[in-house]
Amino acid sequence: MRRIRIITEYDGTDYVGWQVQPNGVSIQALLEKALFELTGETVRVEGSGRTDSGVHARAQVAHFDTEARMSADKFAIAMNMHLPPDIRVLYSEACDPSFHARFSAKQKEYRYTINTGVHADVFTRKTALHLHRVRDVEAMKTAANAVLGTHDFAAFKCSASEMENTVRTVTRSDWTEQDGYLIYTVEGNGFLYNMVRILVGTMLEIGEGKRPVSDMETALQQKDRKLAGATAPAHGLMLYRVIYPDFDTEEVLSRVR
């Protein structure tokens, strides 16, 4: 039995998210189906995180165990022959049996993209939120700085989430402007269900003048979901990078793309 580690990218538009769900098609289910068609084995594919319905991934890491004798680096090409064009396996390799895509991860990076142009771009409409009315980007940048460090992010999780430990450490949180787009980049040791989208939604309301910058710190201190903003739409969010002690998707993708 071998453990195989893969990096996948996907357009999450037409899927219910990473995790297998009874009410629709998931990324996880299609990867497992591809492996069954390829090897005849029923295997579990474990991902680094459970991206929500409609959320995309540039570098989702996953692992699975197999008895198939195929060369580890060939799984990527072989699996892609059994996957739809909006899901690609970019890389595959054998890894230590102790590796776990979720529990071994040390850092993750998400990016949220906003098109601030007058008109929506037909080519990025599925991966960027079109929002022309953002007025105060500097206020959003100030609010983003308040997120840095270790905090209890209870105010920024989905109200339906039953997660008890809501303390996370954020090592990067900033907005950049690039050719008519606003990009929020956030890195941390883990994220709560809907956390990034609620952070973005709160900062957008600050940028639109609907709430003061101080609301970000107030929500963090009071730990009350009602004090944070709305949840930003899913399609602007992308899992961008995952870092492990011995494995960084950014370094690997720079070699294989």
Side-chain angles (χ1 to χ4, degrees):
M1 184 73 73
R2 293 180 297 160
R3 179 154 293 188
I4 306 296
R5 173 166 55 194
I6 61 175
I7 301 176
T8 67
E9 69 176 7
Y10 48 83
D11 176 342
T13 303
D14 296 328
Y15 302 104
V16 295
W18 167 265
Q19 189 177 17
V20 173
Q21 302 284 341
N23 61 334
V25 181
S26 71
I27 308 298
Q28 183 183 42
L30 289 180
L31 290 172
E32 292 174 354
K33 180 174 181 287
L35 284 168
F36 178 77
E37 293 173 350
L38 182 63
T39 68
E41 298 174 315
T42 300
V43 301
R44 186 70 170 177
V45 178
E46 298 284 355
S48 69
R50 299 172 180 176
T51 51
D52 300 341
S53 176
V55 172
H56 317 292
R58 171 182 175 270
Q60 170 72 283
V61 178
H63 77 265
F64 59 89
D65 295 330
T66 180
E67 294 182 353
R69 301 180 65 180
M70 180 186 301
S71 176
D73 64 331
K74 302 300 184 196
F75 272 95
I77 294 174
M79 289 177 68
N80 285 336
M81 297 176 65
H82 298 270
L83 290 167
D86 51 4
I87 304 174
R88 294 289 89 178
V89 179
L90 304 176
Y91 179 80
S92 61
E93 67 172 7
C95 64
D96 192 277
S98 65
F99 172 83
H100 194 286
R102 179 183 175 189
F103 299 124
S104 299
K106 297 299 181 183
Q107 196 88 349
K108 294 179 185 177
E109 175 183 328
Y110 281 89
R111 294 190 182 184
Y112 196 98
T113 303
I114 299 170
N115 173 14
T116 60
V118 176
H119 304 291
D121 185 337
V122 297
F123 299 109
T124 62
R125 71 190 188 280
K126 294 182 179 181
T127 56
L129 173 66
H130 179 237
L131 195 64
H132 181 54
R133 62 182 180 273
V134 178
R135 297 185 300 175
D136 194 343
V137 177
E138 290 306 311
M140 293 167 60
K141 291 180 179 180
T142 300
N145 284 333
V147 175
L148 287 170
T150 301
H151 304 280
D152 188 331
F153 285 93
F156 297 93
K157 72 170 184 176
C158 173
S159 56
S161 173
E162 298 180 356
M163 178 69 69
E164 294 183 2
N165 179 11
T166 53
V167 175
R168 297 292 185 274
T169 298
V170 172
T171 54
R172 180 180 177 183
S173 173
D174 59 56
W175 288 94
T176 54
E177 300 175 73
Q178 190 177 83
D179 300 326
Y181 287 85
L182 271 174
I183 302 172
Y184 177 59
T185 302
V186 60
E187 298 177 5
N189 64 351
F191 296 90
L192 305 172
Y193 182 45
N194 280 355
M195 176 175 158
V196 178
R197 291 169 58 193
I198 297 171
L199 286 170
V200 171
T202 304
M203 288 185 277
L204 286 176
E205 291 179 11
I206 289 171
E208 294 167 14
K210 295 179 179 179
R211 60 171 67 234
V213 176
S214 60
D215 273 14
M216 183 64 80
E217 290 191 1
T218 299
L220 283 169
Q221 293 168 1
Q222 297 296 319
K223 306 177 185 61
D224 185 350
R225 175 66 184 91
K226 296 178 182 178
L227 297 177
T231 305
H235 69 280
L237 184 60
M238 181 175 293
L239 174 58
Y240 199 82
R241 181 182 186 182
V242 188
I243 302 173
Y244 298 85
D246 64 338
F247 185 79
D248 184 340
T249 58
E250 197 69 11
E251 187 277 327
V252 175
L253 293 182
S254 71
R255 291 190 281 108
V256 301
R257 281 189 179 277

